[in-house]
Amino acid sequence: DDEVPEQVPEAGAAMPTVGFVGEEERPPALILRDYREAEIRHGRLAMLAAVIWPLQEIADRIFIPESFGSMTIIYGGPTLPVAPLLMTFFMLNLGYLDIYSSEIKENESGDAFLPGECFWDPLAIMEGAPDSMKRNMQEREILNGRASMIAVAAYIFEEGMSHKPVISLAANDLLFEPFFLVPFVQAWLDTQFGSVSYIDPGI
C-alpha cells in the first residue's frame, strides 16, 4: 500500500481546533464562579479608588489651597502625589496576594475555592466562622464593591462635566463636608435655634 503523505498546512492557513475547543467544557458553576471572582477583584480596586480619590483632593485643599480648584483627577494639574502613591502601594500588595493565592489554587485546592479567596487572614477574622457568616461577609463585600464601582463612575462623570474637583461640588457637600457646615443645614439650624438667647448661669 502506498503511504499517504502527511499534509503540512500552508502558511497563513487556519490551524485545526481539535483538542482546544469544546473538548473539555467547564461546568457552568465554575464559569459563574470565575465571573464572580473577576467582579470581586474589580470591586476591591473600586473601593480603594472611591476612598483615595476624594482623599487626594482633600489633601490638595489643605496643603496647596492656592492651586485647589484648578486641578482634577481627570484633567490633571498641580497636585500632591497622594493618589498615585497609595494606589501603587495597594495594587502591588493586591498583585502579590493574587500570585500567592494562585500558587495555592494550582498546587493545593484546585477548583475547590471560593470567589475572591486570598488564603490570607492575618487577623483570623474568618477562622472558625460558620458558613452563614462567611456568606454574609461575601455578600457585603460584593455589594460594597458594586456601590464603589458606581461611585467611581459618578466621580468621573461629575469631574468630566464640571471640570471641578468632586469635593467642591455643591451636590456632594453631604459626603465631603462636616454636617454643620453644609449651607442648607446651617440655614435650617438658624431657623430652629437662631432665636435662642444665651443665659449666663452666674446670674
Side-chain angles (χ1 to χ4, degrees):
D1 295 336
D2 296 330
E3 287 188 11
V4 178
E6 183 179 356
Q7 295 182 352
V8 179
E10 299 177 0
M15 295 298 293
T17 58
V18 177
F20 296 94
V21 178
E23 183 178 8
E24 295 182 359
E25 293 184 356
R26 304 190 71 212
L30 291 182
I31 296 174
L32 180 62
R33 194 267 318 273
D34 292 343
Y35 281 130
R36 177 57 56 84
E37 181 163 11
E39 180 186 21
I40 290 173
R41 291 184 179 185
H42 282 84
R44 287 170 179 169
L45 285 176
M47 284 188 278
L48 290 172
V51 174
I52 293 174
W53 188 317
L55 282 180
Q56 167 75 70
E57 297 181 348
I58 291 171
D60 289 339
R61 183 171 62 182
I62 294 173
F63 296 106
I64 48 174
E66 64 279 358
S67 63
F68 178 74
S70 62
M71 183 284 304
T72 65
I73 301 294
I74 297 296
Y75 296 106
T79 181
L80 297 173
V82 176
L85 291 178
L86 285 178
M87 284 303 293
T88 300
F89 172 77
F90 285 119
M91 290 180 71
L92 287 174
N93 281 276
L94 289 175
Y96 170 77
L97 282 178
D98 278 344
I99 295 172
Y100 173 76
S101 62
S102 297
E103 290 291 330
I104 294 179
K105 292 171 186 176
E106 290 179 5
N107 300 325
E108 298 180 20
S109 66
D111 282 328
F113 64 90
L114 296 173
E117 179 64 69
C118 292
F119 303 97
W120 186 67
D121 187 12
L123 299 179
I125 296 175
M126 302 302 292
E127 185 177 350
D131 291 340
S132 59
M133 179 180 175
K134 293 180 180 178
R135 180 175 294 275
N136 289 335
M137 293 287 285
Q138 292 167 358
E139 290 180 354
R140 289 166 185 163
E141 182 180 25
I142 290 173
L143 291 176
N144 286 324
R146 290 172 178 171
S148 298
M149 286 187 276
I150 294 172
V152 172
Y155 292 168
I156 295 171
F157 176 79
E158 288 179 332
E159 287 202 355
M161 296 299 292
S162 67
H163 293 250
K164 295 180 180 179
V166 166
I167 64 171
S168 67
L169 299 178
N172 297 331
D173 282 346
L174 286 175
L175 297 175
F176 305 119
E177 295 289 346
F179 187 69
F180 58 87
L181 293 180
V182 178
F184 74 84
V185 175
Q186 287 183 332
W188 179 81
L189 291 174
D190 288 340
T191 59
Q192 297 296 317
F193 306 104
S195 60
V196 176
S197 57
Y198 174 74
I199 301 176
D200 189 349
I203 298 178

